Amino acid sequence: MKLDTGALRYLTTEDWRVLQAVEQGSKNHELVPTPLIQQLSGLRSGSGIHRNISTLAKVGLIAKVKNAKYDGYRLTYGGLDYLALNTHRKANAIYSLGNQIGVGKESDIYITASPEGRQLVLKLHRLGRISFRTVKSNRDYLRNQKSGDGSWMYLSRLAAQKEHAFMKVLYREGFPIPEPVAWSRHTVVMEFIDSFPLRMIDSIPDPGKLYAELMDMIVQLAKRGLIHGDFNEFNILIKEITTESGKLRLEPILIDFPQTVSTNHVNAQMYFDRDVTCVKRYFERRFKYTSNEPGPLFEVAIKGAEADRRLDIEVEASGFSRKMGKELERFVEVPVGKQEAEAGTEEEEEEAEEEEEAEEEESGVEDEDAEDEGEEAVTVASELNGQGTPADP
Ligand code: ADP
Ligand code: MG
Protein backbone atom coordinates (compact mmCIF):
# COMPACT_ATOMS: atom_id res chain seq x y z
CA MET A 1 0.00 0.00 0.00
CA LYS A 2 1.60 3.15 -1.15
CA LEU A 3 1.32 6.38 0.73
CA ASP A 4 0.42 8.94 -1.91
CA THR A 5 0.48 12.35 -0.33
CA GLY A 6 -0.39 14.24 -3.50
CA ALA A 7 -3.81 15.29 -2.29
CA LEU A 8 -2.61 16.58 1.07
CA ARG A 9 -1.96 19.93 -0.53
CA TYR A 10 -5.40 20.68 -1.78
CA LEU A 11 -7.81 19.19 0.75
CA THR A 12 -9.88 21.98 2.24
CA THR A 13 -10.82 22.45 5.88
CA GLU A 14 -14.27 21.04 5.06
CA ASP A 15 -12.76 18.00 3.33
CA TRP A 16 -10.80 17.26 6.49
CA ARG A 17 -13.87 17.62 8.65
CA VAL A 18 -15.77 15.21 6.47
CA LEU A 19 -12.87 12.75 6.55
CA GLN A 20 -12.80 12.94 10.34
CA ALA A 21 -16.55 12.42 10.40
CA VAL A 22 -16.23 9.22 8.39
CA GLU A 23 -13.55 8.02 10.78
CA GLN A 24 -15.69 8.81 13.77
CA GLY A 25 -18.77 7.19 12.25
CA SER A 26 -16.76 4.07 11.43
CA LYS A 27 -16.45 3.32 15.11
CA ASN A 28 -20.06 2.15 15.25
CA HIS A 29 -20.99 1.67 11.63
CA GLU A 30 -19.58 -0.58 9.00
CA LEU A 31 -20.82 1.86 6.39
CA VAL A 32 -21.32 5.40 7.46
CA PRO A 33 -24.48 6.79 5.84
CA THR A 34 -24.31 10.25 4.34
CA PRO A 35 -26.72 11.89 6.83
CA LEU A 36 -24.52 10.68 9.69
CA ILE A 37 -21.41 12.02 7.96
CA GLN A 38 -23.18 15.33 7.66
CA GLN A 39 -24.13 15.33 11.31
CA LEU A 40 -20.70 14.32 12.62
CA SER A 41 -18.88 16.81 10.42
CA GLY A 42 -20.82 19.65 11.99
CA LEU A 43 -21.25 21.20 8.57
CA ARG A 44 -24.59 22.77 7.76
CA SER A 45 -26.84 21.05 5.27
CA GLY A 46 -26.66 22.59 1.88
CA SER A 47 -22.98 23.35 2.50
CA GLY A 48 -22.00 21.10 -0.35
CA ILE A 49 -21.00 18.09 1.69
CA HIS A 50 -21.57 15.90 -1.35
CA ARG A 51 -18.75 17.68 -3.05
CA ASN A 52 -16.42 16.99 -0.11
CA ILE A 53 -17.45 13.36 -0.12
CA SER A 54 -16.82 13.06 -3.81
CA THR A 55 -13.38 14.68 -3.52
CA LEU A 56 -12.39 12.28 -0.76
CA ALA A 57 -13.73 9.28 -2.65
CA LYS A 58 -11.95 10.31 -5.83
CA VAL A 59 -8.55 10.34 -4.12
CA GLY A 60 -9.36 7.10 -2.36
CA LEU A 61 -9.50 8.31 1.22
CA ILE A 62 -13.01 6.98 1.64
CA ALA A 63 -14.81 4.34 -0.40
CA LYS A 64 -18.44 3.99 -1.31
CA VAL A 65 -19.96 0.72 -0.23
CA LYS A 66 -23.43 -0.64 -0.82
CA ASN A 67 -25.19 -3.00 1.49
CA ALA A 68 -28.70 -4.38 1.41
CA LYS A 69 -30.23 -1.45 3.19
CA TYR A 70 -28.35 1.68 2.25
CA ASP A 71 -25.27 3.14 0.61
CA GLY A 72 -22.54 4.49 2.78
CA TYR A 73 -18.87 5.20 3.03
CA ARG A 74 -16.01 3.66 4.85
CA LEU A 75 -12.57 4.94 5.62
CA THR A 76 -9.76 3.39 3.56
CA TYR A 77 -6.23 2.80 4.76
CA GLY A 78 -5.28 5.84 2.69
CA GLY A 79 -7.78 7.91 4.62
CA LEU A 80 -6.43 6.66 7.91
CA ASP A 81 -2.89 7.50 6.73
CA TYR A 82 -3.96 11.05 5.94
CA LEU A 83 -5.66 11.55 9.28
CA ALA A 84 -2.58 10.33 11.11
CA LEU A 85 -0.23 12.48 9.02
CA ASN A 86 -2.42 15.46 9.65
CA THR A 87 -2.34 14.92 13.40
CA HIS A 88 1.44 14.60 13.36
CA ARG A 89 1.79 17.72 11.29
CA LYS A 90 -0.46 19.74 13.56
CA ALA A 91 1.44 18.53 16.62
CA ASN A 92 4.66 19.60 14.89
CA ALA A 93 5.94 16.05 15.13
CA ILE A 94 6.65 15.90 11.43
CA TYR A 95 7.04 18.51 8.78
CA SER A 96 7.94 16.62 5.63
CA LEU A 97 7.77 13.12 4.33
CA GLY A 98 10.63 11.48 2.50
CA ASN A 99 11.39 8.12 0.95
CA GLN A 100 10.06 4.80 1.98
CA ILE A 101 12.95 2.91 3.53
CA GLY A 102 11.34 -0.32 4.51
CA VAL A 103 8.49 -2.61 3.84
CA GLY A 104 8.31 -4.76 6.91
CA LYS A 105 6.22 -7.79 7.49
CA GLU A 106 3.42 -5.71 8.85
CA SER A 107 4.39 -2.12 8.32
CA ASP A 108 5.61 0.55 5.95
CA ILE A 109 8.53 2.66 7.06
CA TYR A 110 9.15 6.20 5.79
CA ILE A 111 11.81 8.75 6.47
CA THR A 112 10.36 12.00 7.73
CA ALA A 113 11.71 15.17 9.24
CA SER A 114 10.64 17.35 12.12
CA PRO A 115 10.13 21.11 11.63
CA GLU A 116 13.68 21.55 12.95
CA GLY A 117 15.00 19.20 10.31
CA ARG A 118 15.66 16.24 12.57
CA GLN A 119 15.44 12.97 10.68
CA LEU A 120 12.69 10.72 11.94
CA VAL A 121 10.97 7.52 10.97
CA LEU A 122 7.25 7.15 10.40
CA LYS A 123 6.06 3.59 10.91
CA LEU A 124 2.62 2.80 9.52
CA HIS A 125 1.28 -0.44 10.89
CA ARG A 126 -0.49 -2.56 8.30
CA LEU A 127 -1.76 -5.59 10.05
CA GLY A 128 -3.21 -8.39 8.03
CA ARG A 129 -1.43 -7.39 4.86
CA ILE A 130 1.00 -10.24 4.58
CA SER A 131 0.53 -12.39 7.59
CA PHE A 132 -2.96 -13.42 6.63
CA ARG A 133 -1.80 -16.84 7.61
CA THR A 134 -2.11 -15.85 11.22
CA VAL A 135 -5.23 -13.82 10.92
CA LYS A 136 -7.15 -15.53 8.17
CA SER A 137 -8.90 -18.00 10.39
CA ASN A 138 -10.11 -15.11 12.45
CA ARG A 139 -11.57 -13.19 9.59
CA ASP A 140 -15.11 -14.27 10.17
CA TYR A 141 -14.81 -13.39 13.78
CA LEU A 142 -13.61 -9.94 12.84
CA ARG A 143 -16.31 -9.52 10.23
CA ASN A 144 -18.95 -10.22 12.82
CA GLN A 145 -17.58 -7.77 15.29
CA LYS A 146 -20.01 -5.04 16.19
CA SER A 147 -17.47 -2.41 15.45
CA GLY A 148 -17.42 -2.04 11.71
CA ASP A 149 -14.26 0.03 11.87
CA GLY A 150 -12.25 -2.00 9.36
CA SER A 151 -10.90 -4.71 11.58
CA TRP A 152 -7.42 -4.50 10.13
CA MET A 153 -7.38 -0.84 10.88
CA TYR A 154 -8.51 -1.46 14.40
CA LEU A 155 -5.78 -4.01 14.97
CA SER A 156 -3.19 -1.77 13.33
CA ARG A 157 -4.15 0.99 15.72
CA LEU A 158 -3.77 -1.35 18.65
CA ALA A 159 -0.36 -2.43 17.39
CA ALA A 160 0.83 1.17 17.08
CA GLN A 161 -0.50 2.11 20.48
CA LYS A 162 1.19 -0.88 22.03
CA GLU A 163 4.48 -0.25 20.29
CA HIS A 164 4.50 3.38 21.37
CA ALA A 165 3.58 2.55 24.97
CA PHE A 166 6.42 0.05 25.32
CA MET A 167 8.93 2.23 23.52
CA LYS A 168 8.20 5.11 25.86
CA VAL A 169 9.03 3.23 29.01
CA LEU A 170 11.96 1.35 27.51
CA TYR A 171 13.53 4.53 26.19
CA ARG A 172 13.04 6.32 29.48
CA GLU A 173 14.76 3.44 31.25
CA GLY A 174 17.77 3.72 28.99
CA PHE A 175 17.30 0.67 26.81
CA PRO A 176 19.02 1.04 23.43
CA ILE A 177 15.98 1.72 21.24
CA PRO A 178 14.94 4.63 19.00
CA GLU A 179 13.40 7.54 20.85
CA PRO A 180 9.61 7.45 20.40
CA VAL A 181 8.33 10.85 19.31
CA ALA A 182 4.60 10.54 18.66
CA TRP A 183 1.75 8.17 18.10
CA SER A 184 -1.47 8.63 16.15
CA ARG A 185 -3.90 5.93 15.09
CA HIS A 186 -1.90 3.19 13.31
CA THR A 187 1.34 5.15 13.18
CA VAL A 188 4.38 5.78 15.37
CA VAL A 189 6.97 8.49 14.79
CA MET A 190 10.41 7.72 16.17
CA GLU A 191 14.06 8.61 15.96
CA PHE A 192 15.78 7.53 12.77
CA ILE A 193 18.69 5.21 13.46
CA ASP A 194 21.46 5.54 10.91
CA SER A 195 22.36 1.89 10.79
CA PHE A 196 22.12 -1.47 9.07
CA PRO A 197 19.99 -4.35 10.27
CA LEU A 198 22.22 -7.09 11.65
CA ARG A 199 20.95 -9.19 8.78
CA MET A 200 22.93 -7.11 6.30
CA ILE A 201 26.23 -7.40 8.09
CA ASP A 202 28.53 -10.12 6.80
CA SER A 203 31.29 -10.04 9.33
CA ILE A 204 32.08 -8.35 12.61
CA PRO A 205 35.43 -8.03 14.34
CA ASP A 206 34.32 -9.41 17.71
CA PRO A 207 31.15 -11.49 17.44
CA GLY A 208 31.50 -12.68 21.05
CA LYS A 209 31.15 -9.15 22.33
CA LEU A 210 28.03 -8.36 20.34
CA TYR A 211 26.58 -11.74 21.24
CA ALA A 212 27.08 -11.05 24.93
CA GLU A 213 25.50 -7.61 24.59
CA LEU A 214 22.44 -9.01 22.87
CA MET A 215 21.99 -11.75 25.46
CA ASP A 216 22.38 -9.17 28.18
CA MET A 217 19.69 -7.08 26.54
CA ILE A 218 17.30 -10.04 26.59
CA VAL A 219 18.09 -10.60 30.29
CA GLN A 220 17.76 -6.92 31.22
CA LEU A 221 14.37 -6.79 29.49
CA ALA A 222 13.20 -9.86 31.43
CA LYS A 223 14.37 -8.31 34.69
CA ARG A 224 11.97 -5.46 33.98
CA GLY A 225 9.15 -7.87 33.13
CA LEU A 226 9.40 -7.90 29.35
CA ILE A 227 10.20 -10.26 26.50
CA HIS A 228 10.62 -8.76 23.05
CA GLY A 229 9.17 -11.78 21.28
CA ASP A 230 10.71 -11.22 17.85
CA PHE A 231 14.34 -10.70 18.70
CA ASN A 232 15.92 -11.44 15.35
CA GLU A 233 18.47 -10.12 12.86
CA PHE A 234 15.91 -7.86 11.17
CA ASN A 235 14.89 -6.16 14.39
CA ILE A 236 18.39 -5.50 15.65
CA LEU A 237 19.90 -2.45 14.01
CA ILE A 238 23.64 -2.00 14.16
CA LYS A 239 25.02 1.49 14.52
CA GLU A 240 28.68 1.95 13.70
CA ILE A 241 30.36 4.38 16.05
CA THR A 242 33.94 5.55 15.76
CA THR A 243 35.34 5.99 19.22
CA GLU A 244 37.77 8.73 20.26
CA SER A 245 40.66 6.36 19.86
CA GLY A 246 39.58 5.82 16.27
CA LYS A 247 38.28 2.34 16.87
CA LEU A 248 35.01 1.11 15.40
CA ARG A 249 32.33 0.17 17.90
CA LEU A 250 29.13 -1.63 16.99
CA GLU A 251 26.09 -0.60 18.94
CA PRO A 252 22.94 -2.73 18.73
CA ILE A 253 19.60 -0.90 18.76
CA LEU A 254 16.42 -2.89 19.22
CA ILE A 255 13.24 -2.09 17.24
CA ASP A 256 9.78 -3.51 16.49
CA PHE A 257 7.71 -4.01 19.66
CA PRO A 258 4.13 -4.97 18.79
CA GLN A 259 4.62 -8.55 19.93
CA THR A 260 6.34 -7.76 23.21
CA VAL A 261 4.94 -9.84 26.08
CA SER A 262 5.08 -9.79 29.84
CA THR A 263 7.22 -12.28 31.74
CA ASN A 264 3.91 -13.25 33.37
CA HIS A 265 2.52 -14.45 30.06
CA VAL A 266 1.54 -18.14 30.11
CA ASN A 267 4.07 -18.84 27.36
CA ALA A 268 6.72 -16.47 28.67
CA GLN A 269 9.36 -19.15 29.02
CA MET A 270 8.82 -20.26 25.43
CA TYR A 271 9.05 -16.69 24.09
CA PHE A 272 12.16 -16.01 26.11
CA ASP A 273 13.86 -19.20 24.92
CA ARG A 274 12.86 -18.47 21.37
CA ASP A 275 14.48 -15.02 21.47
CA VAL A 276 17.65 -16.54 22.91
CA THR A 277 17.75 -19.38 20.39
CA CYS A 278 17.22 -16.99 17.55
CA VAL A 279 20.39 -15.05 18.38
CA LYS A 280 22.32 -18.26 19.06
CA ARG A 281 21.44 -19.82 15.76
CA TYR A 282 22.08 -16.66 13.83
CA PHE A 283 25.54 -16.19 15.29
CA GLU A 284 26.42 -19.80 14.56
CA ARG A 285 25.23 -19.66 11.00
CA ARG A 286 26.39 -16.23 9.99
CA PHE A 287 29.48 -15.56 12.11
CA LYS A 288 30.46 -19.15 12.95
CA TYR A 289 30.37 -18.11 16.58
CA THR A 290 29.25 -20.46 19.34
CA SER A 291 29.28 -19.35 22.93
CA ASN A 292 30.76 -21.62 25.60
CA GLU A 293 28.12 -20.52 28.02
CA PRO A 294 24.71 -22.13 28.17
CA GLY A 295 21.63 -19.97 28.54
CA PRO A 296 20.75 -17.39 29.57
CA LEU A 297 17.92 -19.11 31.39
CA PHE A 298 14.49 -17.64 31.95
CA GLU A 299 14.29 -18.60 35.63
CA VAL A 300 17.62 -16.97 36.32
CA ALA A 301 16.79 -13.84 34.35
CA ILE A 302 13.57 -13.11 36.20
CA LYS A 303 14.97 -13.94 39.61
CA GLY A 304 16.31 -10.49 40.27
CA ALA A 305 13.18 -8.72 39.01
CA GLU A 306 11.87 -6.09 41.41
CA ALA A 307 8.10 -5.91 41.51
CA ASP A 308 7.95 -2.13 41.68
CA ARG A 309 10.18 -1.68 38.66
CA ARG A 310 8.17 -3.91 36.38
CA LEU A 311 7.57 -2.22 33.03
CA ASP A 312 4.91 -4.70 31.91
CA ILE A 313 2.80 -3.67 34.90
CA GLU A 314 3.45 0.01 34.32
CA VAL A 315 2.35 -0.15 30.68
CA GLU A 316 -0.76 -2.10 31.57
CA ALA A 317 -1.72 0.49 34.12
CA SER A 318 -0.98 3.45 31.89
CA GLY A 319 -3.28 2.93 28.94
CA PHE A 320 -2.46 -0.16 26.98
CA SER A 321 -4.57 -2.52 29.05
CA ARG A 322 -4.29 -6.26 29.41
CA LYS A 323 -7.56 -6.63 27.55
CA MET A 324 -6.21 -4.70 24.55
CA GLY A 325 -3.08 -6.79 24.66
CA LYS A 326 -5.10 -9.98 24.60
CA GLU A 327 -7.20 -8.78 21.72
CA LEU A 328 -4.17 -7.93 19.66
CA GLU A 329 -2.37 -11.10 20.57
CA ARG A 330 -5.25 -13.20 19.45
CA PHE A 331 -4.62 -12.06 15.92
CA VAL A 332 -0.94 -11.39 15.63
CA GLU A 333 0.68 -14.07 17.68
CA VAL A 334 3.46 -15.69 15.73
CA PRO A 335 2.92 -19.44 15.80
CA VAL A 336 5.58 -21.35 17.69
CA GLY A 337 8.59 -22.09 15.57
CA LYS A 338 7.72 -19.56 12.89
CA GLN A 339 9.29 -16.17 12.85
CA GLU A 340 9.54 -13.13 10.69
CA ALA A 341 12.39 -14.55 8.67
CA GLU A 342 10.33 -17.48 7.56
CA ALA A 343 6.83 -16.09 7.69
CA GLY A 344 4.22 -17.36 5.24
CA THR A 345 4.92 -19.60 2.29
CA GLU A 346 4.63 -18.01 -1.12
CA GLU A 347 1.46 -19.89 -1.86
CA GLU A 348 -0.21 -18.62 1.25
CA GLU A 349 0.83 -15.12 0.49
CA GLU A 350 -0.43 -15.32 -3.08
CA GLU A 351 -3.68 -16.66 -1.86
CA ALA A 352 -3.93 -13.85 0.64
CA GLU A 353 -3.18 -11.29 -2.02
CA GLU A 354 -5.81 -12.68 -4.33
CA GLU A 355 -8.30 -12.51 -1.56
CA GLU A 356 -7.35 -8.97 -0.82
CA GLU A 357 -7.79 -8.00 -4.45
CA ALA A 358 -11.15 -9.69 -4.64
CA GLU A 359 -12.24 -7.78 -1.58
CA GLU A 360 -11.11 -4.51 -2.95
CA GLU A 361 -12.92 -5.08 -6.20
CA GLU A 362 -16.02 -5.73 -4.21
CA SER A 363 -15.72 -2.45 -2.43
CA GLY A 364 -14.53 -0.54 -5.44
CA VAL A 365 -11.14 0.35 -3.99
CA GLU A 366 -8.15 -0.19 -6.15
CA ASP A 367 -4.86 -1.46 -4.99
CA GLU A 368 -2.27 0.41 -6.93
CA ASP A 369 0.45 -1.29 -5.06
CA ALA A 370 1.13 -4.08 -7.45
CA GLU A 371 2.34 -2.03 -10.40
CA ASP A 372 4.05 0.61 -8.40
CA GLU A 373 6.33 -1.68 -6.53
CA GLY A 374 9.99 -0.88 -6.84
CA GLU A 375 9.32 2.68 -7.80
CA GLU A 376 11.08 5.18 -5.56
CA ALA A 377 8.95 7.21 -3.25
CA VAL A 378 9.29 10.87 -4.02
CA THR A 379 10.31 13.40 -1.47
CA VAL A 380 7.39 15.64 -0.81
CA ALA A 381 8.95 18.06 1.61
CA SER A 382 6.62 20.90 2.51
CA GLU A 383 3.61 19.23 0.95
CA LEU A 384 2.60 18.26 4.41
CA ASN A 385 2.25 21.89 5.17
CA GLY A 386 -0.97 22.50 3.33
CA GLN A 387 -4.29 23.85 4.43
CA GLY A 388 -5.17 24.66 7.98
CA THR A 389 -7.29 21.95 9.47
CA PRO A 390 -9.69 21.68 12.34
CA ALA A 391 -8.74 20.04 15.58
CA ASP A 392 -9.20 16.30 15.94
CA PRO A 393 -12.54 15.29 17.32
P1 ADP B 1 7.99 -4.73 10.92
O1 ADP B 1 7.08 -4.93 12.06
O2 ADP B 1 7.23 -4.52 9.67
O3 ADP B 1 9.05 -5.78 10.83
P2 ADP B 1 10.08 -2.89 11.81
O4 ADP B 1 9.81 -1.95 12.92
O5 ADP B 1 10.89 -4.10 12.14
O6 ADP B 1 8.68 -3.31 11.15
O7 ADP B 1 10.78 -2.09 10.64
C1 ADP B 1 11.07 -2.66 9.38
C2 ADP B 1 12.44 -2.20 8.89
O8 ADP B 1 12.49 -0.78 8.76
C3 ADP B 1 13.57 -2.55 9.84
O9 ADP B 1 14.09 -3.83 9.61
C4 ADP B 1 14.59 -1.45 9.57
O10 ADP B 1 15.38 -1.78 8.45
C5 ADP B 1 13.72 -0.25 9.21
N1 ADP B 1 13.52 0.60 10.41
C6 ADP B 1 12.48 0.53 11.27
N2 ADP B 1 12.56 1.46 12.25
C7 ADP B 1 13.70 2.14 12.02
C8 ADP B 1 14.36 3.25 12.68
N3 ADP B 1 13.86 3.81 13.78
N4 ADP B 1 15.52 3.71 12.15
C9 ADP B 1 16.03 3.14 11.03
N5 ADP B 1 15.47 2.12 10.37
C10 ADP B 1 14.31 1.60 10.83
MG1 MG C 1 10.66 -6.12 12.08
Side-chain angles (χ1 to χ4, degrees), residues 101-102 104-107 109 121 123 163 178 190-193 195 197 234-235 237 255-256 340:
I101 56 165
K105 171 182 53 143
E106 286 174 330
S107 73
I109 311 281
V121 153
K123 176 170 178 177
E163 177 152 59
M190 66 182 92
E191 176 185 358
F192 168 73
I193 306 292
S195 59
F234 297 93
N235 292 332
L237 304 181
I255 57 165
D256 203 359
E340 184 164 345

Side-chain angles (χ1 to χ4, degrees), residues 101-111 120-127 129 163 167 177-179 189-200 228 230 232-237 253-259 340:
I101 56 165
V103 183
K105 171 182 53 143
E106 286 174 330
S107 73
D108 290 332
I109 311 281
Y110 285 83
I111 291 274
L120 299 168
V121 153
L122 171 72
K123 176 170 178 177
L124 301 115
H125 287 261
R126 310 260 191 229
L127 253 63
R129 178 176 61 187
E163 177 152 59
M167 287 183 79
I177 69 159
E179 178 187 358
V189 180
M190 66 182 92
E191 176 185 358
F192 168 73
I193 306 292
D194 194 3
S195 59
F196 293 103
L198 180 58
R199 166 77 184 187
M200 291 183 53
H228 181 275
D230 204 5
N232 65 40
E233 63 275 17
F234 297 93
N235 292 332
I236 298 161
L237 304 181
I253 308 280
L254 187 60
I255 57 165
D256 203 359
F257 299 90
Q259 64 298 306
E340 184 164 345

Side-chain angles (χ1 to χ4, degrees), residues 123-158:
K123 176 170 178 177
L124 301 115
H125 287 261
R126 310 260 191 229
L127 253 63
R129 178 176 61 187
I130 293 175
S131 59
F132 269 131
R133 180 174 43 75
T134 49
V135 261
K136 195 149 68 180
S137 56
N138 289 309
R139 276 192 149 194
D140 291 337
Y141 169 84
L142 282 168
R143 273 209 182 107
N144 295 333
Q145 285 284 287
K146 259 210 276 30
S147 147
D149 174 45
S151 331
W152 316 116
M153 289 187 205
Y154 173 65
L155 292 173
S156 298
R157 278 176 212 247
L158 275 185

